Amino acid sequence: MTTDRAQVVVIGGGATGTGILRDLALRGISGILVEQGDLAHGTSSRFHGLLHSGARYAVKDKEAARECIEENMILRKIAPNCVEETGGLFVQLKEDDPSYTDKWISSCAQAGIPTEEVEIGELRRTYPVLSPDIVRAFRVPDCAVDGFRVLWSNVNSARQYGGQVLTYHKLIGIKQSNGKICGVEVANQLTGEHKYIECQLVINAAGAWAGEVAAMAGLEVNVIKDKGTLVAYNHRLTNQVVNRLRPPGDGDIFVPHGTITILGTTSITVDEPSCSKPGQQEVLDLIKIGSEMIPELQNFRMIRAFAGVRPLYQAGNGAVGRAVTRNFALLDHQQQDGLNGLVSIVGGKFTTFRLMAEKTVDMAAQKLGVDAPSRTAEEPLTNPISKEILERGKKVFGVAGAKKAADRLGDNFVKVLEEAEKEPHKCKVFCECEAVSLAEIDFVARDGDSFTLGDIRRKTRLGMGTCQGTFCSYRTLGALSSYDWTRNHKEFLTKFLQKRWKGIRPVMWGQQMREAQLSTAIYCTLFGMERMK
Amino acid sequence: MMKKNTDVLIIGAGLSGLMAAAKAADSGKKVLLVAKGMGALGLSSGCIDLWGYSLDHPEEICQDPVQEIIKMVAAQKDHPYAKVWDVLEESLSFFQQICSQNGLAYEVAEKGNWLLPTALGTVRPTYLAPAGMAARELPRAKNILVMGFQGLKDFYPEVLTTNLKNNMNLPADCQLTTLMLDLGKIELSPNNLAYLLEKDEVLQRLVSQIKPHLAEEMVILMPPVLGERGHTKVLLNLVESLGVQVYEVTNIPPSLPGQRLQQALLHHLKKQSVEIILGCTVIGTTVLGEHCTEVLAEGSGKNLTIAAKSIILATGSFLGGGMEAQPGKVIETVFHLPIKVLDEKWSAKEFLSLEGHPFSKFGIEVNNHLQPVNSQGEVVIKNIRVIGANLAGANYPIEKCGNGVALATGYKAGKLVGEV
């Protein structure tokens, strides 16, 4: 068993965990992040992709609302390539309570969230797809945010300052001596090897798994696991986020993302943190509620459904589902349980991950006797790409392709561009749906953190469009077949196709049924892959 | 509004529709074929799969597909083959005959099923293969050379050789090598490559790149790109120039072998004076009592009413557009014929389940005359015959019977309407 050493071990490669790693690194504190799967494979990729303005929480949770608007403004500034400044709308339908709207307007004002009423005639002209029953509508500063990209940007930034990441490493033990944490044992999920990491402090940022992590140290952290199912549409139904103007409920937000729209979400308490199976009934419920805002919804093509588990935290017991606060809690287990060297950060939401990380590292720094302040609100996550580089990119990847690749790759764009310029055959687009080139796929495949086709997908968006990977997965296998980790071709393809299938099954109607029949025809009828040896 | 009168109207230009048209025309009937698109034939392998695996041992290749089908239909009366097994062999000969008359020879294997390689390096059992795919020497080859093309993003020789070793019983001393050919193009589609290879000078450039790699008793495998239509010509030129056997393997769409088959059949139908209108969608029907008297079709903005004595429905399944799935129900898109939806769950949990997906079996039930019936077994519309992927009961992707069912049901429908 090998041994590593760091001042801090961070458990969990979600938004909060990677945010913490970056904050630690920027303050000069050595940190190793441990993640059981790939980054963002948990909750941080299984949400709306909504960067909240805070307006949704304004009435009930003013503190959460205020944090959201502040963090929203910070993230736009430090990560412009991860945020699309779509703006958002809150729409009140005929049947919605008009007094709630008045309360909402004043609550937003109190929380510092700007709202601006939109003239209904103008709204109809801009978005004829929206319900004619909308009686009032307001603009708010909501945005769309790419979870995968934020997380990898956090990690890339942290690495520049010495931060380390171990993906596919599962926590199997927390070692303590005389009431003090001294290290953790982790198992490599791909090779089975074990590793011991000696440290002074463990930060539990495991999201839905936070209770399981605390239990390894013999402590109890009560995380409510609240599953939400979402649906992805193959179109941009509107160019702005659309929220229902009423107390938060199921299926009342549409978020445009690149070429698609995500509708969500449901809310059901589950037992398992890994319960990410979207249900067909939940999908039907979503469509029904979503149709109140977009009446023609059932005629639009869905690509897939997916589900994530919100890790909600409520000190003590009582509230469930939407009644539980979206605030986060920072637990000092020394104070709370007498165990020195363990901190848990629980609850919260994607929009406020940076703030959660800052508060957590403030506590960590104090424990370690470090007095450097947080710099994550000022320092950009990635350096902006120069006009000249982007122009060169357009020549190689085309106008739309270059912009997309630049946003996805951030600081690495120039490296990929140089390779494609040297080897023009790498300009070929492998994933037509998302305009992903071979150069980009090849770069990501060699970056040291990619072990499956799913890992490449999360970094490039390969296979996330209309065809759901039917064509590009086979091509990518071919292009990468000289790499060790593609050696078992059957497994390489099957795992990926199966994950895509899981999301297609609950929306298998209309065009997506045709797509399902096409992918079955290709992999069974043409390739006989069901009997492949 | 234009009006047309015909003996037989066929809706759909896939394999079943084209076969039905060929047989009906062969019986001396006036035939009109309308189709919305080009059909799914251009996405298919170009081979005729009849029945792939043993009923008792679903992992084992079956060696006598016709016998296996006869055994199967005794137990599965609702399988489309149960309605057409009596004409299966004559439909196969008819198909071979018209294809070869139109420059596309199909071959049968020494034993019942060919075992032909795919681009993934898997092996697929099939009954009839175009001469350019019928790799007779492969199981005994001493040397196999797999060739790809720089710039063709859908074919990778290394993938084929890696998996072929595990999936095909090759002689222990068989050498597998790969070669990437370079035509100086950064990006090539199967169709423009096929077009290029019909030019002699391009083919000769290839030959000079291949020659240094030739070895004794070699079989060369290539992606299916050897010519758009003049398939045999490109292949024969290549074989002659190299002095070794060359074969195409099955690959993902677009599929030249499927397109060539479609072209050959369309060519045949034109010679038989079948009127063909592509890009023409049936948008309305008139059904009086138990007969459809007229259909309304729309093509390039113009409307057309068609009166026909017999109508053959060959619009395919979901992929072809003959059926449409909505939450909780499936609709047949032209006549709203009853669709048999078997399971509450439409798909299996595993994408590559060996049981297959229930949705594959969804379709219209028919009697022995291929007339659509309701759940009580009563004929719904008497002058309609339903064929191919419109039919309920076949688990095509797992049973490997898609083109076989299309061919036999198309043939039988054509024969039946010929007798009307």
Side-chain angles (χ1 to χ4, degrees), chain A residues 429 475 505 514 527 530, chain B residues 122 153-154 319 347 400:
Chain A
V429 174
R475 282 176 191 151
R505 290 185 71 216
R514 300 184 70 179
F527 280 162
E530 80 286 356
Chain B
T122 47
K153 59 189 174 189
D154 287 340
L319 188 56
S347 64
K400 319 296 179 195

Side-chain angles (χ1 to χ4, degrees), chain B residues 266-340:
Chain B
L266 284 171
H267 187 242
H268 174 78
L269 295 182
K270 280 185 186 147
K271 286 197 304 192
Q272 302 298 108
S273 308
V274 172
E275 188 182 357
I276 298 166
I277 313 175
L278 299 178
C280 182
T281 309
V282 174
I283 53 170
T285 59
T286 308
V287 178
L288 295 175
E290 291 171 320
H291 280 81
C292 174
T293 52
E294 231 174 41
V295 308
L296 175 63
E298 184 187 53
S300 44
K302 280 183 224 127
N303 283 349
L304 179 69
T305 52
I306 305 164
K309 287 196 195 80
S310 304
I311 297 173
I312 296 178
L313 186 70
T315 48
S317 166
F318 302 104
L319 188 56
M323 298 197 287
E324 195 185 288
Q326 295 173 1
K329 63 177 171 184
V330 177
I331 288 163
E332 184 273 303
T333 52
V334 178
F335 294 98
H336 300 280
L337 295 171
I339 298 274
K340 192 175 183 189

Side-chain angles (χ1 to χ4, degrees), chain B residues 63-372:
Chain B
Q63 284 306 348
D64 193 339
V66 176
Q67 282 312 307
E68 203 74 11
I69 288 166
I70 290 170
K71 203 165 118 191
M72 182 272 296
V73 300
Q76 294 183 43
K77 300 256 186 276
D78 55 356
H79 197 284
Y81 271 142
K83 329 287 180 195
V84 295
W85 65 272
D86 52 329
V87 299
L88 185 56
E89 287 182 276
E90 63 181 272
S91 71
L92 290 163
S93 344
F94 180 76
F95 171 81
Q96 276 178 282
Q97 191 196 330
I98 59 173
C99 286
S100 93
Q101 280 167 7
N102 289 278
L104 189 59
Y106 273 80
E107 296 188 6
V108 290
E110 285 163 24
K111 290 189 211 158
N113 263 325
W114 289 102
L115 282 178
L116 298 180
T118 74
L120 188 59
T122 47
V123 174
R124 54 193 309 282
T126 191
Y127 189 70
L128 294 177
M133 298 179 96
R136 207 175 288 279
E137 301 83 357
L138 198 64
R140 295 175 296 276
K142 287 267 166 54
N143 282 289
I144 298 172
L145 173 63
V146 181
M147 300 194 307
F149 291 84
Q150 299 284 0
L152 184 66
K153 59 189 174 189
D154 287 340
F155 188 81
Y156 297 89
E158 300 281 350
V159 170
L160 203 169
T161 54
T162 303
N163 297 309
L164 197 64
K165 282 177 203 158
N166 300 329
N167 286 275
M168 188 175 237
N169 264 332
L170 294 168
D173 58 347
C174 175
Q175 296 286 318
L176 285 142
T177 47
T178 64
L179 176 63
M180 284 306 269
L181 302 166
D182 191 355
L183 294 176
K185 303 267 182 198
I186 288 174
E187 189 155 352
L188 281 166
S189 75
N191 284 75
N192 64 32
L193 182 52
Y195 168 77
L196 284 174
L197 294 181
E198 282 175 5
K199 298 175 190 295
D200 269 343
E201 70 274 15
V202 177
L203 203 65
Q204 287 319 309
R205 271 174 72 191
L206 280 196
V207 168
S208 60
Q209 287 182 33
I210 301 166
K211 271 199 168 152
H213 303 273
L214 293 180
E216 250 180 84
E217 293 178 57
M218 180 173 258
V219 174
I220 292 179
L221 299 179
M222 295 184 75
V225 292
L226 295 175
E228 286 189 286
R229 293 179 206 187
H231 163 248
T232 330
K233 193 176 121 239
V234 176
L235 185 81
L236 288 179
N237 284 350
L238 199 56
V239 169
E240 196 176 310
S241 309
L242 294 171
V244 299
Q245 290 302 326
V246 181
Y247 296 103
E248 298 179 313
V249 303
T250 310
N251 201 9
I252 65 172
S255 158
L256 269 299
Q259 291 172 20
R260 288 177 203 133
L261 173 55
Q262 184 171 44
Q263 290 306 326
L265 292 174
L266 284 171
H267 187 242
H268 174 78
L269 295 182
K270 280 185 186 147
K271 286 197 304 192
Q272 302 298 108
S273 308
V274 172
E275 188 182 357
I276 298 166
I277 313 175
L278 299 178
C280 182
T281 309
V282 174
I283 53 170
T285 59
T286 308
V287 178
L288 295 175
E290 291 171 320
H291 280 81
C292 174
T293 52
E294 231 174 41
V295 308
L296 175 63
E298 184 187 53
S300 44
K302 280 183 224 127
N303 283 349
L304 179 69
T305 52
I306 305 164
K309 287 196 195 80
S310 304
I311 297 173
I312 296 178
L313 186 70
T315 48
S317 166
F318 302 104
L319 188 56
M323 298 197 287
E324 195 185 288
Q326 295 173 1
K329 63 177 171 184
V330 177
I331 288 163
E332 184 273 303
T333 52
V334 178
F335 294 98
H336 300 280
L337 295 171
I339 298 274
K340 192 175 183 189
V341 172
L342 294 157
D343 268 82
E344 201 177 311
K345 290 247 181 254
W346 289 6
S347 64
K349 197 172 164 199
E350 298 295 317
F351 174 57
L352 294 173
S353 153
L354 200 55
E355 304 292 309
H357 301 297
F359 69 72
S360 300
K361 291 187 173 184
F362 291 2
I364 301 157
E365 286 194 285
V366 292
N367 62 17
N368 281 337
H369 305 287
L370 301 173
Q371 291 161 308

